[in-house]
Amino acid sequence: MRNFIKNAINKAPKVDYLEIRIEENQTTKVDFIGKELENIGVTTKIGGNVRALVNGGFGFVSFNNIEQLETYIKLAVQEARLTGKSKTQFAFAQPVVDSKIISGGKDPGEISLEEKYHLCQQYNSIILNFSPLIQTSKVTYRDYYKKQYFANSQGTDILQEKVFSGISFVAMAKDGMNVQQAHTSTGDYCGYETVQGLDDKVENVCRLAVDLLKAKSIQGGKYTVVLDPELCGVFIHEAFGHLAEADHIYENEKMEELMKLGKRFGGDELTIIDDATLQLQAGSYAYDEEGVPAGKTEIIKNGIFLNRLHSCETAAKMNAKPTANARAINYNFEPIVRMSNTYLEPRNLSFEEMISDVKEGIYAKGYIGGNTDCEMFTFSAQQAYLIKNGQVKNLLRDIVLTGNVFETLMNIEAIGNDLVFYGGLGGCGKNGQSPLPVSCGGPHIRIKNIVIGGK
Amino acid sequence: MEDVLNNILKYTPNAETIHQQFILTQTKFENNKLKYINTKQINGLGLRVIKEGKIGFSSTTNLTNPSQLIENAIISAKFGQEAKFEFPTKPHIPSQIKIFDKEVENFTIEQGVELGESLIDRLSDIEPELFCKELEINKTILETKIMNTSGVDFEYQKTIFTFCVTGLLVRNNSLLWLTEYVSGCNLNKDINSIVSKINESLAWSKNELSAKPKKLPAIFTPKLIPTLLETIKLGINGKLVQKGASPLIGKLGERIFDDKITIYDDATMDFGISSCPVDGEGIATRKTPLIEQGVLKNYIFDLQTAGFLKTNSTGNGYRDFDSLPAPHCSNIVVLPGNMDFYEMIKDMKEGIIIDLVLGGGQSNVLAGEFAFNVELGFKVENGEVVGRLKDTMVACNLFDIFNKIRAIGSKLSDWEGVRSPHFYIDEVNVTGIG
């Protein structure tokens, strides 16, 4: 395959830049919903793409029929010529020839479908037997093996293989019209062990779903909020990560002004990092989809905005170095600027110290979702508790938090001493590409003046 | 496909194949400039079998080697769910639905470039500082072929044309995002309506205001309705009904909304984005009333969920080639009422208009709970729009607000697969952020 791709590049028409990505993957799915096994089986996909760059314009073609690669190269070049009307600016990376495998632990490919079925069935029955109030369950298992060939006209030739295992659980409790659900998800490149031995986690999800039936909604308003590491990660991802992606900024002077490097966005203790080189996390990789070696980027260091996340194009246009953040969810999509593993660096406060002087506040844990429009962000907690005079009290529900990006980071009052990363089956969505595997992480943090919507 | 079906007969007499092929051509502008021209071709085959009463499934895009596909499907049938249905026979299609437009097929990349450039020009004429952050013109030609061992052998071609623009205006620390799009099976190059909507939003956004915590009447534009109707889409979904998870179980025939509200699922409307003659199982599609004058009328089913509940498929078994069918809504249509949007504004003493929200799907949607940040919304005082709402959060429960309807708008607009009028609501909970 590598020779096949190289030959195709050598024979291709002359352009400013050309790259080819071909992927083979095999996915195993096991889905239980309620008592029934909804879906089980293995699917295979093979496909590829060509991206050509001429005079600043891109052409991109994706396809399943690999044999016709040469035809698709011609089409991509033709499209790029039609698009390009200015000068090509592209930070050509050093050519690399390499092979890398992102995989640890037991290979899920070595485990029989029967064993995966039994594992899911066991988790599913834990949920269904937990309480008569549990109405239904959802257990979603995925593993995949993805083999990705990448070569470009600069001489880069990379084979990257990834072995992912993940599972998610939903427990739904119902009492009349009152329906509450709780979920958790785990997934990374650490091997089949990632999905094993999760009985306790499953039970916690069930307990939460049942407890939420009796939880009270919250009065809308401004609160001091303590976020757990999972929500801290989502908060960082939504509240600042997306704004650090250079494609939001690189051709818009007003945005660049607003997001000037060197500007203070938080207190001295605030450091935010994006690091694709972390071992076997959901957002880890050896090379991004432009063949740039993965790296660690300090986005905010001690409160100061230090670096943006770049593709080869945004880097060239902003006089920066590529940070290996050009990513695509699969061969159907062109690479765009995305995060990898994004986290807030821990400091030295324990959780107890952090809540001890909170008179009235909210402790929010676990996440349902998050969004940003680069100025405002929202994210929602799966569970939340009232904090009263330094003590965690009763469970609350329907907690959607919101804030202004440019103010909220400044409102971080305390940063904890723990650090946890969360990956999972879901991921990040941007420009129609979703879900992209990423992980988010951080310690417990405390933020003042967070708005919570409510009645 | 015939080969796969013939070969599978060695293992089981009950099988179904679905072949999908599509070509998507995209013309993408970024930051006021033409940036990308893309062609995406997808070609894949799904195989569903019933063996010894159990369902097996597999899919592939490697059409040169179907033996692996057959093997994978047969292995998965060993553990598969018990089949509660038999593969259907040849569908009877009552009338032809228009889903293919020659004009879309003939639409060239050059025409796409021209169309995009003219929209960018028009927008910078009305506001030079408005950036066309993204502008995408997509043309898709989709071919679907479904065959089974009971005699279904049906194929259809469909075109889809979408045109989407996102503008960004940065003023001081404030970002104004404006999004408009048109979509359907037919060619729709009407940029005038896009320009005039953006123009209106720009004019209304000159002044920025924040809201005080309060209960206020609200006008929801058709862009907000798809988010809110998620609750109904989930509640009437045959799978959630079968699993006992829908809050609408046992409520057929009951009034759940204000009697001004009537909602259909309709895959048969001409050029509707989700229209098609048969669903992913070869069952003829139809128009199904979901809510009629506030009364819950139907759930929607595919074959398997209908089998569980001993009823019939409503022709809502949708799928891609790489997934099993499951009940999904097609085009959702909300019937119009009799009040014009501008009359609603005139009628308001103090209230808000909500157009776009952030975080709409993040609360307990199944239970109808919504809390969102108003990304684009306006404040109304004494019958006039006085400015853009900033730093505002709104919380409401669907069952609650859809029983407090003052009026339904007289004009319909399409957004995210929902054709809806404006909704004029008695009151929502507003929380200020500023």
Side-chain angles (χ1 to χ4, degrees):
Chain A
M1 184 66 86
R2 293 175 89 157
N3 282 333
F4 171 70
I5 299 171
K6 240 192 290 180
N7 285 338
I9 286 184
N10 289 338
K11 275 197 268 173
K14 265 258 159 283
V15 288
D16 297 342
Y17 176 76
L18 185 84
E19 69 186 21
I20 294 173
R21 179 153 50 96
I22 287 179
E23 289 171 13
E24 292 171 29
N25 59 57
Q26 180 160 323
T27 305
T28 302
K29 299 179 184 177
V30 184
D31 297 340
F32 275 94
I33 304 180
K35 291 193 294 284
E36 289 86 27
L37 175 69
E38 288 287 323
N39 190 0
I40 185 164
V42 178
T43 59
T44 53
K45 275 192 184 160
I46 177 158
N49 67 58
V50 180
R51 189 167 70 137
L53 176 57
V54 178
N55 297 333
F58 287 99
F60 179 87
V61 180
S62 73
F63 45 86
N64 294 120
N65 191 347
I66 309 297
E67 293 77 37
Q68 287 180 31
L69 181 58
E70 277 184 43
T71 318
Y72 296 125
I73 292 177
K74 281 190 195 123
L75 180 58
V77 168
Q78 194 188 334
E79 289 174 346
R81 285 190 177 136
L82 202 64
T83 323
K85 284 168 186 156
S86 53
K87 207 176 93 218
T88 288
Q89 288 174 282
F90 199 78
F92 298 105
Q94 282 295 332
V96 190
V97 179
D98 197 7
S99 302
K100 277 273 160 36
I101 300 181
I102 315 286
S103 165
K106 267 187 266 175
D107 179 358
E110 307 275 298
I111 312 285
S112 71
L113 190 61
E114 190 165 0
E115 195 174 331
K116 294 168 189 170
Y117 163 77
H118 284 301
L119 182 77
C120 294
Q121 193 187 36
Q122 176 202 327
Y123 290 138
N124 193 48
S125 60
I126 294 177
I127 304 177
L128 292 175
N129 295 324
F130 184 82
S131 149
L133 287 168
I134 295 284
Q135 183 65 40
T136 191
S137 62
K138 196 167 177 181
V139 175
T140 309
Y141 170 91
R142 292 286 178 278
D143 69 54
Y144 65 76
Y145 166 69
K146 182 170 177 173
K147 194 171 185 180
Q148 191 183 63
Y149 300 92
F150 176 91
N152 67 24
S153 55
Q154 301 300 111
T156 289
D157 171 11
I158 296 164
L159 169 60
Q160 198 168 191
E161 292 166 275
K162 288 177 180 172
V163 184
F164 180 90
S165 310
I167 195 161
S168 80
F169 309 102
V170 179
M172 183 186 285
K174 189 168 175 241
D175 189 4
M177 284 276 275
N178 186 2
V179 182
Q180 298 293 331
Q181 47 182 328
H183 75 100
T184 188
S185 173
T186 175
D188 50 38
Y189 302 110
C190 294
Y192 192 68
E193 290 89 337
T194 291
V195 300
Q196 290 180 303
L198 302 174
D199 294 16
D200 290 351
K201 251 189 161 170
V202 175
E203 280 178 19
N204 286 339
V205 168
C206 297
R207 194 165 301 122
L208 178 59
V210 169
D211 289 350
L212 280 171
L213 286 174
K214 283 180 296 206
K216 290 213 163 50
S217 296
I218 191 173
Q219 178 85 35
K222 270 186 192 171
Y223 293 89
T224 290
V225 180
V226 174
L227 303 181
D228 80 333
E230 186 172 3
L231 266 184
C232 170
V234 176
F235 163 68
I236 287 309
H237 178 103
E238 297 299 340
F240 201 81
H242 280 295
L243 253 186
E245 294 165 347
D247 57 340
H248 289 303
I249 305 163
Y250 75 120
E251 287 176 334
N252 188 331
E253 281 169 31
K254 288 249 164 136
M255 279 295 280
E256 198 177 337
E257 184 105 341
L258 193 61
M259 291 295 296
K260 249 202 165 83
L261 291 180
K263 194 167 164 177
R264 178 167 286 279
F265 278 93
D268 284 342
E269 291 213 312
L270 182 72
T271 293
I272 298 174
I273 286 166
D274 184 82
D275 187 356
T277 68
L278 290 174
Q279 286 295 306
L280 307 177
Q281 292 292 337
S284 300
Y285 44 88
Y287 296 93
D288 75 352
E289 266 88 33
E290 292 183 325
V292 180
K296 176 176 173 177
T297 307
E298 289 178 314
I299 300 174
I300 290 183
K301 173 99 176 164
N302 301 332
I304 306 295
F305 185 25
L306 210 58
N307 289 294
R308 298 192 176 98
L309 303 177
H310 285 290
S311 64
C312 289
E313 188 198 7
T314 63
K317 290 185 174 166
M318 299 193 83
N319 292 319
K321 276 197 187 127
T323 56
N325 285 88
R327 305 185 63 195
I329 56 168
N330 62 40
Y331 59 82
N332 285 132
F333 294 93
E334 65 277 15
I336 55 174
V337 184
R338 305 294 287 263
M339 284 170 260
S340 61
N341 306 302
T342 317
Y343 65 98
L344 194 152
E345 230 176 46
R347 297 295 173 194
N348 50 17
L349 270 186
S350 71
F351 175 69
E352 289 71 27
E353 289 171 297
M354 194 177 292
I355 63 166
S356 63
D357 56 342
V358 177
K359 279 211 178 66
E360 194 188 50
I362 306 284
Y363 176 35
K365 287 175 75 172
Y367 102 108
I368 299 178
N371 282 110
T372 180
D373 69 357
C374 290
E375 180 192 7
M376 305 304 297
F377 63 85
T378 67
F379 60 102
S380 52
Q382 163 145 250
Q383 51 185 315
Y385 301 87
L386 199 65
I387 305 174
K388 240 198 152 135
N389 299 321
Q391 303 235 314
V392 176
K393 301 280 189 191
N394 54 305
L395 182 67
L396 301 165
R397 74 174 188 226
D398 303 327
I399 302 289
V400 181
L401 308 101
T402 191
N404 182 300
V405 174
F406 303 104
E407 289 161 11
T408 312
L409 290 177
M410 283 293 193
N411 289 337
I412 298 177
E413 296 180 310
I415 297 176
N417 59 7
D418 42 354
L419 171 64
V420 190
F421 284 91
Y422 291 87
L425 285 190
C428 167
K430 177 177 169 183
N431 296 3
Q433 293 198 44
S434 177
L436 181 80
V438 294
S439 85
C440 306
H444 281 87
I445 57 170
R446 193 174 86 201
I447 316 173
K448 64 180 178 190
N449 288 334
I450 285 261
V451 169
I452 296 180
K455 287 155 208 171
Chain B
M1 275 178 96
E2 286 87 347
D3 283 357
V4 172
L5 274 190
N6 285 334
N7 283 326
I8 197 90
L9 289 175
K10 283 182 242 161
Y11 305 90
T12 170
N14 296 309
E16 167 198 76
T17 54
I18 179 164
H19 180 219
Q20 274 177 338
Q21 186 163 209
F22 77 77
I23 301 179
L24 165 65
T25 313
Q26 293 181 308
T27 309
K28 285 176 146 180
F29 293 79
E30 225 182 79
N31 302 327
N32 287 349
K33 291 192 298 271
L34 179 63
K35 175 74 184 273
Y36 255 109
I37 292 172
N38 292 353
T39 306
K40 299 181 182 186
Q41 303 193 345
I42 290 180
N43 196 351
L45 186 63
L47 171 64
R48 179 164 64 155
V49 300
I50 303 177
K51 187 172 156 61
E52 284 154 22
K54 288 178 165 178
I55 301 170
F57 180 75
S58 182
S59 72
T60 187
T61 60
N62 187 356
L63 303 183
T64 53
N65 181 16
S67 61
Q68 187 66 44
L69 175 76
I70 291 173
E71 195 182 307
N72 285 340
I74 292 296
I75 292 175
S76 82
K78 263 200 348 218
F79 313 101
Q81 187 179 122
E82 187 192 335
K84 298 284 183 188
F85 67 96
E86 283 171 7
F87 286 117
T89 53
K90 200 171 170 346
H92 168 69
I93 311 291
S95 64
Q96 218 190 342
I97 305 159
K98 293 196 184 102
I99 50 169
F100 190 88
D101 183 3
K102 254 314 205 212
E103 280 193 62
V104 174
E105 190 184 28
N106 295 334
F107 188 79
T108 62
I109 290 172
E110 287 80 1
Q111 284 172 293
V113 172
E114 206 179 299
L115 187 60
E117 281 171 349
S118 69
L119 179 55
I120 290 171
D121 286 348
R122 292 277 301 275
L123 292 179
S124 47
D125 278 350
I126 52 175
E127 173 54 72
E129 286 187 17
L130 178 71
F131 237 62
C132 248
K133 183 80 179 65
E134 274 162 38
L135 192 158
E136 237 182 81
I137 297 162
N138 296 330
K139 155 191 161 174
T140 305
I141 298 173
L142 170 73
E143 282 174 43
T144 305
K145 183 170 176 146
I146 301 157
M147 289 178 82
N148 71 27
T149 47
S150 299
V152 168
D153 181 355
F154 194 90
E155 61 189 306
Y156 64 86
Q157 262 202 331
K158 179 172 169 174
T159 49
I160 300 172
F161 185 79
T162 65
F163 184 169
C164 175
V165 58
T166 301
L168 171 63
L169 182 67
V170 185
R171 278 195 197 119
N172 307 320
N173 258 3
S174 176
L175 273 56
L176 174 63
W177 293 93
L178 300 165
T179 297
E180 294 295 336
Y181 86 75
V182 293
S183 67
C185 294
N186 52 342
L187 194 67
N188 181 349
K189 300 188 294 182
D190 174 22
I191 58 175
N192 290 331
S193 66
I194 290 181
V195 172
S196 75
K197 271 192 203 154
I198 289 182
N199 198 11
E200 181 175 71
S201 298
L202 278 170
W204 285 351
S205 301
K206 289 230 161 76
N207 203 2
E208 290 185 350
L209 304 160
S210 69
K212 299 239 154 42
K214 211 174 192 181
K215 286 188 195 299
L216 285 174
I219 302 168
F220 296 168
T221 75
K223 287 181 195 163
L224 184 59
I225 305 304
T227 305
L228 297 172
L229 288 187
E230 276 304 312
T231 299
I232 292 304
K233 284 166 102 175
L234 291 168
I236 53 119
N237 188 305
K239 181 143 285 169
L240 273 82
V241 174
Q242 180 221 325
K243 306 289 178 189
S246 159
L248 299 181
I249 290 171
K251 302 220 172 278
L252 281 184
E254 267 182 42
R255 209 179 70 84
I256 58 167
F257 290 153
D258 187 294
D259 60 15
K260 293 186 204 66
I261 300 178
T262 294
I263 303 171
Y264 289 92
D265 176 79
D266 186 4
T268 68
M269 63 191 216
D270 284 343
F271 299 120
I273 187 93
S274 300
S275 293
C276 49
V278 297
D279 71 358
E281 304 184 286
I283 305 284
T285 53
R286 68 198 71 175
K287 178 174 174 181
T288 306
L290 303 177
I291 312 281
E292 260 178 349
Q293 298 182 330
V295 175
L296 180 66
K297 283 292 182 189
N298 282 294
Y299 307 124
I300 56 156
F301 296 104
D302 63 349
L303 285 168
Q304 175 75 349
T305 54
F308 264 107
L309 297 170
K310 303 202 165 43
T311 178
N312 295 314
S313 166
T314 53
N316 285 87
Y318 289 105
R319 69 195 300 185
D320 289 325
F321 75 90
D322 59 355
S323 65
L324 279 162
H328 281 294
C329 290
S330 62
N331 305 299
I332 298 278
V333 186
V334 183
L335 287 196
N338 51 20
M339 196 169 189
D340 181 73
F341 171 48
Y342 298 97
E343 275 177 59
M344 292 178 184
I345 297 173
K346 267 197 205 122
D347 186 66
M348 268 184 172
K349 200 166 171 307
E350 186 187 4
I352 60 173
I353 301 169
I354 310 177
D355 192 48
L356 287 173
V357 297
L358 200 61
Q362 286 171 29
S363 357
N364 188 351
V365 174
L366 194 55
E369 297 291 342
F370 290 91
F372 35 66
N373 188 312
V374 180
E375 191 185 324
L376 184 63
F378 308 99
K379 184 92 198 286
V380 178
E381 280 171 21
N382 300 318
E384 284 191 31
V385 176
V386 290
R388 179 183 175 201
L389 268 183
K390 289 280 290 181
D391 302 336
T392 302
M393 207 154 179
V394 167
C396 56
N397 180 286
L398 182 77
F399 296 103
D400 197 24
I401 53 170
F402 272 22
N403 276 299
K404 290 180 184 161
I405 301 280
R406 279 193 198 177
I408 303 268
S410 50
K411 247 199 226 140
L412 298 178
S413 303
D414 289 331
W415 198 260
E416 289 170 6
V418 177
R419 180 165 291 180
S420 169
H422 289 74
F423 276 63
Y424 185 9
I425 310 284
D426 268 344
E427 60 175 35
V428 294
N429 297 286
V430 178
T431 310
I433 302 175

